[in-house]
Amino acid sequence: MRVPELIRAAAARLPGVSADAEARTLLAHVLGVPTTRLVLADDPTADQQALFEELVAERAAGRPLQHLTGAAHFRTVRLAVGPGVFVPRPETEVMTGWALDRLAELRAAGTERPRVVEPCTGSGAISLALHAEAPETELHAVELSEEAYAWAARNLTGTGVDLRQGDMADAFGDLDGTVDLVICNPPYIPLTAWEGVPAEVRDHDPELALFSGTDGLDAIRVLTDVAARLLRPGGLVCAEHAEVQQRSAAEVFLAHGGFDQVRDHRDLTDRPRFVTARRR
């Protein structure tokens, strides 16, 4: 079969409005070409067609597209991902953009090398994006999961990011009171919402990266203490949350007492997505 016929046939088997785009992504992966070059690609060999059919079947069965291609895109960077690590989502790109704007302001105000800490780094997506778009930033990241840490180490190799494995609760004690920005996409799904999580997420993203106590705020409570310890006076923190946690996530920072200028922000779909605060 020719490329257009393969794409049409595959898209018909895949669910959702992105079926055509996913079929193109899978075929480009098999052929080893960018999706923009598919129209110029040679007809697939029999072995390539067989592999493509296998990948389409796995995608139709619910396996994440990024696990099939081994890659995920986040802002301007490409990451290696797979089982054992959370696949970065577009929603987090807006929070990362907010952080980049604040870093630009710091540099404009005379801070030559702003210091940033990213707890719960997962694949390293946020730190890698910050490195790519603000290379003069001093970056530190920590991840608890051994499997996710291995992915982060792979993605952050050669960047100079100070990556450590451990619990964010006691990480980077050597940086206490000196950090300009803490940025985090913590787990925030309530354990009581387990059955409502899409099967593709529940079955393939690690539970450690998804669930956080009965109200989903346990990790954010820890993060609040961590940020208060790490940040210099006037330092900033931003943390992603579920769209239903617009008020409750902000209240965690307000109740702590060590923060002011607590604000909530919306994502690409205009839904409440992350909270920011300033260390008093």
Side-chain angles (χ1 to χ4, degrees):
M1 293 178 68
R2 300 179 63 84
V3 166
E5 297 168 332
L6 283 169
I7 293 173
R8 283 196 297 271
R13 296 167 55 191
L14 297 175
V17 296
S18 60
D20 184 75
E22 292 190 356
R24 292 176 179 275
T25 297
L26 290 174
L27 186 55
H29 171 67
V30 169
L31 298 180
V33 300
T35 54
T36 54
R37 302 283 296 178
L38 277 175
V39 67
L40 302 175
D42 294 332
D43 291 340
T45 64
D47 287 345
Q48 288 173 327
Q49 288 193 44
L51 176 57
F52 179 60
E53 289 295 321
E54 179 181 333
L55 293 178
V56 170
E58 291 193 58
R59 179 66 189 123
R63 188 174 175 189
L65 179 69
Q66 295 86 349
H67 284 196
L68 296 172
T69 63
H73 295 274
F74 184 81
R75 289 186 65 90
T76 62
V77 300
R78 183 177 186 272
L79 301 113
V81 295
V85 70
F86 181 78
V87 175
R89 296 335 196 240
E91 292 86 351
T92 311
E93 295 182 1
V94 177
M95 180 177 70
T96 306
W98 180 91
L100 284 163
D101 289 342
R102 303 294 79 75
L103 292 174
E105 292 172 357
L106 284 169
R107 293 192 299 274
T111 304
E112 294 184 3
R113 191 167 172 78
R115 177 173 286 172
V116 177
V117 170
E118 186 202 359
C120 308
T121 192
S123 66
I126 292 175
S127 288
L128 186 59
L130 294 178
H131 167 74
E133 299 184 57
E136 60 286 333
T137 304
E138 177 188 319
L139 291 161
H140 306 263
V142 63
E143 172 54 46
L144 178 60
S145 161
E146 291 185 9
E147 289 180 288
Y149 173 83
W151 287 105
R154 177 177 174 180
N155 288 318
L156 297 174
T157 295
T159 63
V161 175
D162 171 23
L163 174 65
R164 308 182 195 183
Q165 184 179 0
D167 193 326
M168 68 169 170
D170 53 16
F172 300 114
D174 51 319
L175 302 181
D176 284 356
T178 69
V179 175
D180 296 296
L181 173 70
V182 172
I183 181 170
C184 185
N185 179 14
Y188 50 71
I189 300 175
L191 289 170
T192 53
W194 188 87
E195 291 185 356
V197 177
E200 181 178 324
V201 175
R202 190 177 64 220
D203 295 344
H204 296 281
D205 279 321
E207 289 188 6
L208 186 63
L210 298 177
F211 301 101
S212 186
T214 56
D215 63 357
L217 296 171
D218 282 2
I220 290 180
R221 293 188 182 95
V222 175
L223 174 66
T224 306
D225 290 334
V226 171
R229 170 172 60 82
L230 289 173
L231 289 172
R232 59 167 176 78
L236 301 171
V237 58
C238 52
E240 186 167 322
H241 59 70
E243 59 186 86
V244 297
Q245 295 167 336
Q246 178 180 8
R247 294 183 181 275
S248 57
E251 286 171 356
V252 173
F253 284 92
L254 290 169
H256 182 279
F259 298 91
D260 58 17
Q261 297 187 12
V262 179
R263 305 283 186 274
D264 205 74
H265 306 259
R266 294 179 176 266
D267 62 18
L268 294 168
T269 62
D270 198 35
R271 298 174 182 173
R273 184 56 59 191
F274 67 98
V275 61
T276 63
R278 186 184 70 168
R279 185 73 172 96
R280 289 186 186 276

